[in-house]
Structures are given as C-alpha cells and as structure tokens.
C-alpha cells in the first residue's frame, strides 16, 4: 500500500490497506492499519474521513500501548480538529485531556495547545505553549520531544513573517530528524517568502524525492515556479496536486487554494 501511494496509485493503495484490515488479528494490527487509512485520507484532503479512522486508531491504541504513548497520540490528534474547522472541539478535547491526566502526564498538555495555536495562527498563545512544553522537557529530560518544540517555534516565526528565524528553527529540527523529508517543505516555503527561489526549489525537491505525489509539496513548488515566472512548471505541479486532492472536502483550505491558483494561471 505504501509503495502504491508513493507511485501515485491511490486507489490501489487504498485497496491494499483495506485488504490488510481484513487480516488483522490484534488491536495492535488494527491500530497500524487504521493509522495508515487515516494518513491516506489526510493526504487526499478528506479530513472528515481521516478523523473517523483517527478515532478508531485511538480506540485500539488504548488496548495495548503504554499510557505515555497513548497520551502523545491524543495530543497530536488535537491539531486535526482545527484543520477540520472544529476549533471549539479541539479546545474541549484539550481541556478533557488536561482534566483526565494524572500528574505528571498532565504537564504534557502544552504540546497540544502548541499544535492548536500554531494551526490557528495565534503566535502569542503558541509561544506561551512553547514555554510550558520546554518546562516539561527540562523537568523530565524528555529530549525526544525537542523536535516538536523546534517545529512549533518555526511555525511561530512564520506566522510573524520572521522567515530567516523560522528556517533556523527548522534546520535545528532537521539535525535531530535528518530523515524527516517533510521538514524540507517547511524550509522551502520560507525561502520562497524570502524570494530565494533557488534554495526554495532545492529543499522542496528533497521532499519530492521521498514523496513524489505529496500534494502540499507539489503546491508549494508550484508557487515557487509561479513567483519565479516559470508558469508551465507551475501548472504541471498544480495539476498534479489538484489531482491528488480531487475528492478533498469542500472546505479543505489547501485544495481550495491550489484550485484557485490553477485557475488564475490557466486564465
């Protein structure tokens, strides 16, 4: 299924994942497959369907995973509610988690608020969450959470238009997660804002080398080409992104933006 998705054969990929689901024997098996289906629909901009499988995934996770892992997954899920336009639900879920978690696990909740506020574009509140997340890392020596903070700091700088500082944060994250190709997309996006189109293209191509049909990366690269006056290349990449998002939710902002840009360039 993973190979088919990387090749852009999305229907075949979904068929393989669904076949895998019929072979599951344990909660852990189902968790893995539900997570794959969640990711599949998220990539295709079908966030409502993605969230259905996110809930199924979390219900299976609780049956076998240590508490800390289950908590981390629930916190990570908060951002998706915002992406789906369910801001109030995101905050309600965060408050529920904060009330349910016994010390010291309740001290990890700033990571959830960091996800929520960066997605909402609220730099001030996100920065407050960074302080809480940093305190958690220092108290428990959980340096495994450092990349999340660096990513959050990068997003805060982007919200404020501080693109050089954002690049610095993302590059520090990349040092800790050198195989996480999607970080290059963030760096490339910032270089485009700085009008350094060559570096923007270099970083975005690094993501595409790993994920050649990543619609967000294709869209970002199309914007680079459009800004740099290479309309034909921009159209090619936009058309591929729009194809991946052909069945996206009507209110999925990335697909809407890509279709609007495609229409502008075609006219």
């Amino acid at each position: 299924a993973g190979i088919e998705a990387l090749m852009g054969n999305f229907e075949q990929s979904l068929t393989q994942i669904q076949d895998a689901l019929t072979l599951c024997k344990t909660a852990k098996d189902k968790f893995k497959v539900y997570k794959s289906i969640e990711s599949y629909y998220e990539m295709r901009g079908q966030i409502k369907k993605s969230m259905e499988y996110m809930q199924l995934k979390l219900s299976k996770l609780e049956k076998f995973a240590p508490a800390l892992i289950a908590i981390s997954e629930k916190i990570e899920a908060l951002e998706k509610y915002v992406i789906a336009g369910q801001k109030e639900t995101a905050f309600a879920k965060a408050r529920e988690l904060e009330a349910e978690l016994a010390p010291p696990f309740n001290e990890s909740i700033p990571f959830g608020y960091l996800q929520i506020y960066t997605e909402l574009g609220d730099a001030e509140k996100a920065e407050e969450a960074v302080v809480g997340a940093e305190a958690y890392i220092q108290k428990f020596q959980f340096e495994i959470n450092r990349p999340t903070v660096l990513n959050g700091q990068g997003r805060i700088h982007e919200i404020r238009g501080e693109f050089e500082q954002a690049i610095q944060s993302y590059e520090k994250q990349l040092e800790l997660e050198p195989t996480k190709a999607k970080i290059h997309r963030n760096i490339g996006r910032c270089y485009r804002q700085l009008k350094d189109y060559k570096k923007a293209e270099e970083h975005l191509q690094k993501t595409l080398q790993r994920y050649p049909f990543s619609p967000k990366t294709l869209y970002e690269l199309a914007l680079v080409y459009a800004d740099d006056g290479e309309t034909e290349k921009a159209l090619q990449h936009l058309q591929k992104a729009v194809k991946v998002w052909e069945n996206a939710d009507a209110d999925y902002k990335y697909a809407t933006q890509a279709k609007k840009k495609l229409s502008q360039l075609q006219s």
Side-chain angles (χ1 to χ4, degrees):
I3 291 168
E4 295 287 8
L6 284 173
M7 294 172 65
N9 301 323
F10 298 113
E11 296 307 318
Q12 294 93 320
S13 175
L14 185 59
T15 298
Q16 294 279 9
I17 298 172
Q18 290 169 337
D19 287 347
L21 189 59
T22 66
L23 301 173
C24 291
K25 296 288 193 296
T26 65
K28 190 172 184 179
D29 289 342
K30 287 187 177 180
F31 165 79
K32 289 180 179 179
V33 179
Y34 286 146
K35 189 169 186 174
S36 293
I37 302 175
E38 175 197 7
S39 298
Y40 170 87
Y41 282 121
E42 182 175 7
M43 178 184 62
R44 304 213 66 188
Q46 296 172 271
I47 305 303
K48 294 178 179 62
K49 279 191 175 182
S50 178
M51 291 179 71
E52 290 176 15
Y53 286 96
M54 178 185 79
Q55 298 295 351
L56 288 168
K57 174 194 77 174
L58 293 174
S59 70
K60 297 302 176 185
L61 182 67
E62 293 174 338
K63 297 182 182 299
F64 69 88
L68 193 59
I69 300 298
I71 291 163
S72 297
E73 287 279 349
K74 287 181 179 180
I75 287 174
E76 189 177 323
L78 294 172
E79 181 182 36
K80 192 169 286 186
Y81 289 103
V82 182
I83 295 170
Q86 300 177 27
K87 178 179 72 172
E88 296 307 320
T89 304
F91 283 116
K93 291 285 184 183
R95 289 192 292 269
E96 285 175 16
L97 270 174
E98 198 167 7
E100 289 173 9
L101 297 177
F105 298 124
N106 60 336
E107 295 181 47
S108 66
I109 202 65
F111 289 97
Y113 285 111
L114 177 59
Q115 299 282 349
I116 291 171
Y117 285 121
T118 51
E119 187 61 34
L120 288 173
D122 189 333
E124 185 176 337
K125 289 288 187 182
E127 202 160 50
E128 290 175 11
V130 165
V131 173
E134 182 65 41
Y136 180 79
I137 291 173
Q138 294 294 330
K139 182 174 181 178
F140 299 105
Q141 295 298 298
F142 281 171
E143 284 298 320
I144 194 171
N145 295 122
R146 177 67 58 194
T148 303
V149 171
L150 289 169
N151 179 268
Q153 288 171 326
R155 293 175 73 180
I156 290 167
H157 285 305
E158 280 197 76
I159 293 166
R160 290 175 169 160
E162 301 165 349
F163 300 110
E164 290 180 353
Q165 294 95 318
I167 289 169
Q168 291 173 8
S169 293
Y170 292 137
E171 285 180 339
K172 288 178 183 177
Q173 182 189 2
L174 192 60
E175 288 176 9
L176 298 177
E177 299 180 303
T179 61
K180 195 165 186 177
K182 292 178 183 179
I183 301 172
H184 286 288
R185 181 173 66 222
N186 297 338
I187 297 172
R189 185 174 60 241
C190 292
Y191 274 120
R192 179 178 66 82
Q193 293 287 354
L194 293 170
K195 302 187 186 305
D196 189 336
Y197 302 126
K198 184 179 179 181
K199 284 188 177 179
E201 182 184 13
E202 286 175 2
H203 281 279
L204 291 165
Q205 288 289 3
K206 286 180 181 179
T207 304
L208 282 185
Q209 285 172 8
R210 179 78 179 271
Y211 304 104
F213 284 86
S214 163
K216 287 185 180 180
T217 310
L218 290 165
Y219 172 62
E220 288 295 338
L221 190 53
L223 294 181
V224 171
Y225 290 135
D227 289 354
D228 202 25
E230 298 188 68
T231 306
E232 282 303 314
K233 283 186 176 181
L235 282 168
Q236 290 170 12
H237 287 78
L238 273 173
Q239 286 164 347
K240 286 178 73 174
V242 168
K243 180 64 176 175
V244 178
W245 283 327
E246 62 184 345
N247 296 315
D249 297 340
D251 57 352
Y252 184 60
K253 66 178 182 180
Y254 298 107
T256 301
Q257 290 168 356
K259 290 172 184 176
K260 183 179 179 181
K261 188 68 177 179
L262 179 60
S263 179
Q264 287 174 350
L265 291 180
Q266 286 175 329
S267 64

